[in-house]
């Protein structure tokens, strides 16, 4: 009889007020447990201790380093020749037309790319894509400014073609292993993008576990009630 009364007191009354806050095992509590520390909306960070991440970072570093080195050398050689800052004459360096302004700009952009090479990771990937896009845009702009008084960087057709080629190559280095519809499942960008897809499965599993625990508790209560009635 005492056991039956104890079980009856443990069960909530049908007309009782709902408890304040979250009830352990409830849908809200389980949802919070699933979402705690969920990194789905964080930026992808390459972990270079993993082989795939290390390989991607090396590709981004190589693209930024090669392009940056060429631009720095090109700019330094242009300054050594003491070409006028806004001279639009036919001064060539490494097969490209140049002047003082273009030489300084090349050194600045090259130094930025070399910094991206040193830093590596997601930063180098994004930097390659951004600078590559700017080079392609520069090619279109300076193509429109050829043979005009606004051609302050002394661009010629070979410079325009170089901007297009370098821009597309840099962008491809930056997008490697990042922008594709068929990334392998061990790819860091795939892992980040597909965490949201795993959430419903995790939530359903947690809810199923909670329901199973509740069913076990109810079954135990019924068994205790039956045993108490038999003793009585």
């Amino acid at each position: 009889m005492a056991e039956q009364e104890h079980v009856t007191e443990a069960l909530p009354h049908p007309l009782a007020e709902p408890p304040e806050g979250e009830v352990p095992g409830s849908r809200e509590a389980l949802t919070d447990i699933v979402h705690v520390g969920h990194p789905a909306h964080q930026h992808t960070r390459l972990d270079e201790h993993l082989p795939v991440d290390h390989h991607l970072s090396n590709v981004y570093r190589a693209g930024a380093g090669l392009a940056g080195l060429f631009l720095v050398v090109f700019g330094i050689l242009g300054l050594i020749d003491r070409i006028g800052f806004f001279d639009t004459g036919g001064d060539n360096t490494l097969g490209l037309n140049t002047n003082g302004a273009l030489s300084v700009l090349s050194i600045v952009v090259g130094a930025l790319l070399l910094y991206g090479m040193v830093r590596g990771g997601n930063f180098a990937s994004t930097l390659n894509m951004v600078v590559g896009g700017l080079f392609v845009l520069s090619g279109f702009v300076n193509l429109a400014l050829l043979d005009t008084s606004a051609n302050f960087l002394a661009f010629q057709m070979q410079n325009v073609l170089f901007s297009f080629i370098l821009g597309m190559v840099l962008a491809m280095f930056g997008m490697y292993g990042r922008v594709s519809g068929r990334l392998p499942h061990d790819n860091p960008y795939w892992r980040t993008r597909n965490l949201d897809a795993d959430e419903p499965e995790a939530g359903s599993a947690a809810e199923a576990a909670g329901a199973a625990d509740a069913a076990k508790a109810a079954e135990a209560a019924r068994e205790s009630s039956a045993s108490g009635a038999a003793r009585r």
Side-chain angles (χ1 to χ4, degrees):
M1 185 65 178
E3 291 183 5
Q4 183 179 6
E5 292 178 355
H6 175 72
V7 172
T8 304
E9 291 177 358
L11 296 174
H13 193 277
L15 300 179
E17 292 292 331
E20 296 182 359
E22 294 179 349
V23 179
S26 65
R27 181 186 181 92
E28 292 77 9
L30 292 173
T31 302
D32 288 344
I33 292 174
V34 172
H35 285 82
V36 167
H38 195 282
H41 301 292
Q42 298 178 359
H43 293 291
T44 303
R45 292 179 179 272
L46 297 186
D47 183 358
E48 296 199 13
H49 295 289
L50 301 177
V52 176
D53 298 28
H54 180 69
H55 170 70
L56 290 176
S57 185
N58 283 343
V59 172
Y60 304 148
R61 290 175 188 268
L66 292 174
L69 180 62
F70 177 85
L71 291 175
V72 169
V73 171
F74 172 77
I76 292 175
L77 291 178
L79 291 179
I80 290 176
D81 290 340
R82 297 183 180 181
I83 304 170
F85 202 75
F86 291 113
D87 186 8
T88 58
D91 297 301
N92 286 291
T93 299
L94 297 179
L96 300 174
N97 209 53
T98 187
N99 60 13
L102 184 59
S103 298
V104 172
L105 182 60
S106 298
I107 293 174
V108 172
V109 176
L112 180 61
L113 288 171
L114 290 177
Y115 170 72
M117 178 197 68
V118 173
R119 183 164 175 178
N122 197 48
F123 177 83
S125 169
T126 303
L127 181 65
N128 286 341
M129 288 191 290
V130 172
V131 175
L134 291 177
F135 263 95
V136 173
L137 179 62
S138 171
F140 282 111
V141 171
N142 286 285
L143 178 62
L145 296 179
L146 289 180
D147 300 325
T148 67
S149 58
N151 186 16
F152 298 112
L153 297 179
F155 260 58
Q156 297 295 333
M157 183 55 67
Q158 63 267 29
N159 298 72
V160 173
L161 295 176
F162 174 78
S163 292
F164 285 141
I165 295 173
L166 182 61
M168 288 187 291
V169 170
L170 263 179
M172 290 177 61
F173 269 100
M175 292 186 291
Y176 176 80
R178 183 175 183 177
V179 181
S180 174
R182 297 182 179 180
L183 296 177
H185 290 185
D186 59 347
N187 181 283
Y189 299 102
W190 188 95
R191 294 196 301 264
T192 300
R193 294 168 191 167
N194 287 272
L195 284 176
D196 285 333
D198 296 337
E199 265 188 23
E201 297 179 2
S204 300
E207 291 177 9
D213 292 340
K216 290 180 181 179
E219 182 66 24
R222 284 196 296 269
E223 291 177 358
S224 299
S225 176
S227 61
R231 290 178 182 177
R232 185 177 60 179

